[in-house]
Amino acid sequence: MSHANDIAWAILPKFGAVLSITSSFFLARDVYIKHRQHMTKHDAIKIPLTSAMLFQISINDIFGSFFSYFMSTWMMPIGTAPFAVGNQATCDAQGYFTTFHFIYFVTAYTELALLYWLVVKRGWSDDRWSIKALFGVPPILISFVLSLIPIFTEMYNPARIHCFVNTYPGGCVVDGDASDCLRGGRNTQLLQSLSFAYALACNFVIIIFMGLLVFVVYSQEKKGDKYIPKGQAKKRDNTIDTAWQGVRYT
């Protein structure tokens, strides 16, 4: 049963990867078509940052889904998982792309939630170069730097689905400074915890700013109540639509 489970974990993510890649391709295509005129003229300053970030997120998801979930165990060292035909170099590469995809994804979506609120509440213009640099550079820079650390500390090793931050061999024991792990070590579990704590914190920030965005739209609609004739129902269509969009985004 354990071997059958391992085979399932090696195969099933490929189907999800195809769906994710396809969806991201169509999203990137839609953004490109909408702003094709500016892209072909290399007039990127006229492309709103929200659209540019959605395009970057889509491209990141295409590469991340391909290397992490479509390639799955194929990039693991031979003998470490079903269908593994790679080596440590391909494992490191997969671990890097997986970590980059993971960190960029949560960072960019968190920034995008903040940006939506700033545009609606503060009236920020998201087509200024200063705003684009402020929001566009950090996700790439943070992901690039943090993804390199596990390479130099030998922390990219086979996990269940793909190579990620993990000890090797699986199940090896780390007791204080003593360890029977061939790769990784006592800091591996700490880095795993920090990674998921970071994602959890980003989701918490997204929830806060989605809530603030809904409140802003509600406040704007409420201001118009004084112009509604007595006895006529107050409309909250925009508030409801924004709330549902916030739920889906979160």
Side-chain angles (χ1 to χ4, degrees), residues 184-202:
R186 59 192 180 94
N187 292 325
T188 303
Q189 187 173 2
L190 174 62
L191 189 58
Q192 288 177 339
S193 300
L194 289 176
S195 299
F196 289 104
Y198 179 73
L200 193 63
C202 286

Side-chain angles (χ1 to χ4, degrees), residues 221-237:
E221 284 192 322
K222 189 176 181 181
K223 289 180 181 178
D225 289 350
K226 57 185 176 182
Y227 303 107
I228 298 177
K230 188 175 181 179
Q232 184 174 339
K234 300 176 182 179
K235 293 186 177 181
R236 296 289 184 264
D237 294 342

Side-chain angles (χ1 to χ4, degrees), residues 32-50:
Y32 172 78
I33 292 175
K34 183 178 180 180
H35 302 285
R36 177 168 48 193
Q37 180 181 1
H38 301 315
M39 288 185 177
T40 53
K41 291 183 178 181
H42 304 287
D43 195 7
I45 193 173
K46 294 183 179 180
I47 302 175
L49 178 58
T50 48

Side-chain angles (χ1 to χ4, degrees), residues 15-93:
F15 295 98
V18 171
L19 293 175
S20 182
I21 291 171
T22 303
S23 300
S24 295
F25 169 79
F26 282 113
L27 179 57
R29 187 202 63 169
D30 289 346
V31 173
Y32 172 78
I33 292 175
K34 183 178 180 180
H35 302 285
R36 177 168 48 193
Q37 180 181 1
H38 301 315
M39 288 185 177
T40 53
K41 291 183 178 181
H42 304 287
D43 195 7
I45 193 173
K46 294 183 179 180
I47 302 175
L49 178 58
T50 48
S51 296
M53 289 190 68
L54 282 174
F55 184 82
Q56 293 175 5
I57 289 172
S58 300
I59 298 301
N60 172 70
D61 189 60
I62 290 173
F63 279 95
S65 296
F66 176 78
F67 283 103
S68 300
Y69 301 106
F70 182 78
M71 296 300 290
S72 63
T73 58
W74 284 337
M75 297 186 72
M76 291 184 184
I78 296 175
T80 58
F83 315 119
V85 293
N87 51 39
Q88 189 56 52
T90 59
C91 186
D92 285 339

Side-chain angles (χ1 to χ4, degrees), residues 128-153:
R128 292 165 50 192
W129 270 114
S130 57
I131 303 300
K132 288 184 176 182
L134 180 63
F135 283 86
V137 174
I140 298 176
L141 185 60
I142 293 172
S143 303
F144 175 77
V145 173
L146 294 183
S147 300
L148 285 176
I149 296 176
I151 292 181
F152 298 106
T153 53

